[in-house]
């Protein structure tokens, strides 16, 4: 039990202290009853003071907590062994007529305009405009290709007409070509003047 445990823990130091005190008292009585020669050899015994350690204080606190926990555990077990009967609810003996909540007026629905619906309408218009623009661009591209093909066909026809060989008229040899003498003065040649870079002579070449 908790009482036996506390007695076994706390009672041991008390016995040691009581035995040491009795031994000191017997030594003092013997020195008093002895003569002067023997009394000089008897010295005063050191009286030790009890230690006040924190471990002992923590042990006592822990022991008290343990004893309290064991008592609470025993009380809880005893309470569980003897359950108390609970009374029946009132509804089993007399039916209870609960008050009905007040009737509410019916909710009148109204049209809710969602932002997502508005955005969907705007998105459909935008998609329709994009589709019309793409169709218009495709038509322009087809018209441009058709016009380019027509221009190429016209150019090919013109090239074919130009490449047809034709007879050239006979040249008139009665008036032969006579080149005229130029009236410009003759070119006077001049001696070129080249720029020569000064060469650096190394010390070996100088020697």
């Amino acid at each position: 039990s908790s009482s036996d445990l506390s007695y076994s823990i706390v009672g041991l130091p008390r016995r040691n202290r009581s035995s040491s005190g009795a031994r000191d008292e017997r030594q003092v009585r013997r020195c008093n009853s002895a003569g002067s020669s023997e009394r000089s050899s008897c010295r005063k015994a050191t009286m030790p003071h009890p230690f006040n350690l924190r471990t002992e204080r923590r042990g006592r606190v822990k022991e008290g907590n343990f004893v309290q926990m064991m008592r609470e555990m025993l009380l809880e077990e005893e309470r569980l062994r003897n359950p108390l009967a609970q009374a029946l609810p009132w509804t089993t003996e007399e039916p209870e007529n609960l008050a009905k909540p007040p009737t509410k007026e019916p909710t009148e629905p109204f049209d809710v305009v969602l932002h997502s619906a508005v955005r969907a309408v705007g998105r459909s218009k935008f998609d329709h405009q994009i589709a019309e623009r793409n169709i218009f661009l495709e038509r322009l591209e087809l018209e441009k290709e058709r016009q380019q093909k027509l221009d190429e066909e016209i150019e090919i026809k013109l090239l074919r007409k130009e490449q047809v060989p034709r007879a050239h008229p006979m040249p008139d040899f009665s008036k032969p070509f006579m080149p005229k003498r130029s009236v410009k003065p003759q070119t006077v040649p001049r001696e070129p003047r080249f720029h020569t870079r000064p060469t650096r002579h190394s010390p070996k070449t100088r020697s």
Side-chain angles (χ1 to χ4, degrees), residues 5-6 9-10 58-68:
L5 180 63
S6 61
I9 294 174
V10 182
R58 287 199 297 266
R60 287 193 294 271
V61 173
K62 189 173 182 181
E63 182 183 355
N65 295 336
F66 178 73
V67 171
Q68 183 67 20

Side-chain angles (χ1 to χ4, degrees), residues 17 20 24 45-53 56:
R17 292 174 186 174
S20 61
D24 295 339
T46 304
M47 299 296 291
H49 295 281
F51 293 100
N52 189 10
L53 301 177
E56 294 181 358

Side-chain angles (χ1 to χ4, degrees), residues 118-134:
V118 176
R119 289 181 59 194
V121 173
R123 183 67 184 183
S124 62
K125 292 181 180 180
F126 176 74
D127 293 341
H128 183 66
Q129 292 177 0
I130 294 296
E132 290 181 352
R133 181 172 175 272
N134 293 335

